[in-house]
């Protein structure tokens, strides 16, 4: 795997987990449930950012099936954030 690709994925993971931590901290400080959903959503988005390459390399699946799993994980995170905005 290309080092620049891995670096970009790791930066995405770190940024999404940082946002998730800050959202969780906001939930603990104010007790607002939507912030908990935002936190969970960004955890899913961060996990989705790195899972495609890991699934492809580790399990030897096709790139299409790895991308499908990534899309489901990232979509789940976006759905959690959407739910937080509607509450």
């Amino acid at each position: 795997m290309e080092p620049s690709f891995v670096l970009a994925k790791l930066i995405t993971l770190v940024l999404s987990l940082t946002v998730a931590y800050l959202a969780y901290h906001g939930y603990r400080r104010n007790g607002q449930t939507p912030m908990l959903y935002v936190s969970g959503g960004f955890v899913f988005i961060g996990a989705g950012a790195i899972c495609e390459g890991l699934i492809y390399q580790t399990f030897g699946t096709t790139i299409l099936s790895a991308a499908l799993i990534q899309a489901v994980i990232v979509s789940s995170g976006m759905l959690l954030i959407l739910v937080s905005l509607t509450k």
Side-chain angles (χ1 to χ4, degrees), residues 21-81:
Y21 171 75
L22 291 173
Y24 182 73
H25 183 69
Y27 163 72
R28 294 287 308 255
R29 186 177 52 231
N30 297 324
Q32 303 224 348
T33 307
M35 291 303 283
L36 189 60
Y37 288 114
V38 169
S39 178
F42 274 99
V43 167
F44 274 88
I45 291 170
I50 62 165
C51 77
E52 182 180 16
L54 289 176
I55 290 170
Y56 180 68
Q57 293 289 333
T58 305
F59 299 114
T61 63
T62 64
I63 195 70
L64 180 64
S65 60
L68 179 63
I69 293 169
Q70 178 197 21
V72 168
I73 293 171
V74 171
S75 296
S76 299
M78 297 298 270
L79 184 63
L80 281 173
I81 294 171

